Amino acid sequence: MTSRKKLQGLVAATITPMTPDGQINLPVIRQYVDYLVNEQTVKNVFVNGTTGEGLSLSIQERKQLAEEWVCQGKDKLDHVIIHVGALSLPESQELARHAAAIGAGGIAVIAPFFFKPTNKVRVEELLEGIKERIPTFQGVKFSDTDLLDLAQCIHKNEAQQLEFLYGVDEQLLGALAVGANGAVGSTYNYLGRQTNLMLEAFAKPDLALARKYQFLTGEFLNFVIKLGFGVAQTKAVMTFVSGIPMGPPRLPLLGASEEFIAKAKAKLDSIVWPDGD
C-alpha cells in the first residue's frame, strides 16, 4: 500500500454512479472526487461498501471502480480505502491483491455473512492479539451503537495507535467524546462540510456549537428514516444536492420515489445550519 498518512476525520462511503440501465458510470468519478474535495471538504473515501452496492457488483466491476477512484483521487484525495469483503474468501483475497497492486491507501473487509456465526463477537474481543495475526492491521470501522464496546476498544488499545472510525452518522459526536478518530458514512457525501465544522467545534472545544450540527444532522436523518431511507434514497439525495447524476440502484433495490425526493429536498432546504447555510 502506498499511503502512510494517518487516517482520521471524515471518510465518505462512496455511492456507485450508474447509468439508467444499471451499468456503472465510471466517467462520473472525476467530477465526484472534485465535488467531495472542493464542496464537502472531504478527502478520504471508502469504496465498494454497502453504500456503494459493493455486494451487488461483479468482481470485475469492483476492480474497475477501485482503479478509477485511485486514478482520479491521485494528488487530490488523502486516502482511498477499498472494501474487499465478499461471500467468497478467494474473491476477497483477489480483490485485496488488486487493491494493493493499484496503490490503494488500504483495504477494509467485512467477514462472509451468509453463514452466520453462532455467537456475537464484540470488537473488543476481536482486537485481542490481532496485530500478531495481521501485522498491517490499522483499525476498525465501528458501525454499532454500543459506545461502551467502542470506548473499551479505544481504552485497551491506546498503545497500539489504532484508528477507530465511527459508522453511525447521527451519533458521531458521542463517539468523538469517547475517542473515535473520525468516521465513515454516507452522509459525508452531501453533509461533509457541515460535519467537518462539527469536528472543528468539538476540537476547540465548543460543545454547544458541535451539538447544534449533530442535532441538525439527526433531524434530517430522523425525517428521512421515517420515510424509508436506504441506498436508493441516498443516491437520490446525493443527486439533488450535488447535481451529479448517481442514477438508480441495482436490482433488487428499487429507486427512490418522487414523493421521497420532494419531501427530502424540502426538509434539507429548510434546515438552517449555524454557518448560515
Side-chain angles (χ1 to χ4, degrees), residues 80-155:
V80 177
I81 308 300
I82 307 298
H83 174 251
V84 300
L87 291 178
S88 160
L89 286 174
E91 287 184 348
S92 184
Q93 292 167 332
E94 180 183 343
L95 289 168
R97 286 191 290 267
H98 176 262
I102 64 174
I107 61 169
V109 60
I110 188 172
F113 53 83
F114 183 79
F115 296 109
K116 300 185 184 305
T118 55
N119 61 324
K120 182 179 179 180
V121 180
R122 290 166 62 85
V123 181
E124 177 188 355
E125 300 166 17
L126 174 71
L127 294 178
E128 292 177 2
I130 198 165
K131 273 286 194 180
E132 285 73 29
R133 290 174 174 267
I134 311 173
T136 57
F137 184 83
Q138 295 298 312
V140 172
K141 178 195 174 192
F142 192 101
S143 294
D144 199 283
T145 56
D146 186 351
L147 290 181
L148 172 59
D149 189 12
L150 175 62
Q152 288 300 299
C153 290
I154 294 170
H155 174 61

Side-chain angles (χ1 to χ4, degrees), residues 63-82:
K63 288 181 178 180
Q64 290 173 337
L65 279 163
E67 290 169 10
E68 192 68 12
W69 276 102
V70 169
C71 176
Q72 299 301 335
K74 184 176 175 58
D75 301 324
K76 294 179 180 179
L77 298 173
D78 290 338
H79 292 274
V80 177
I81 308 300
I82 307 298

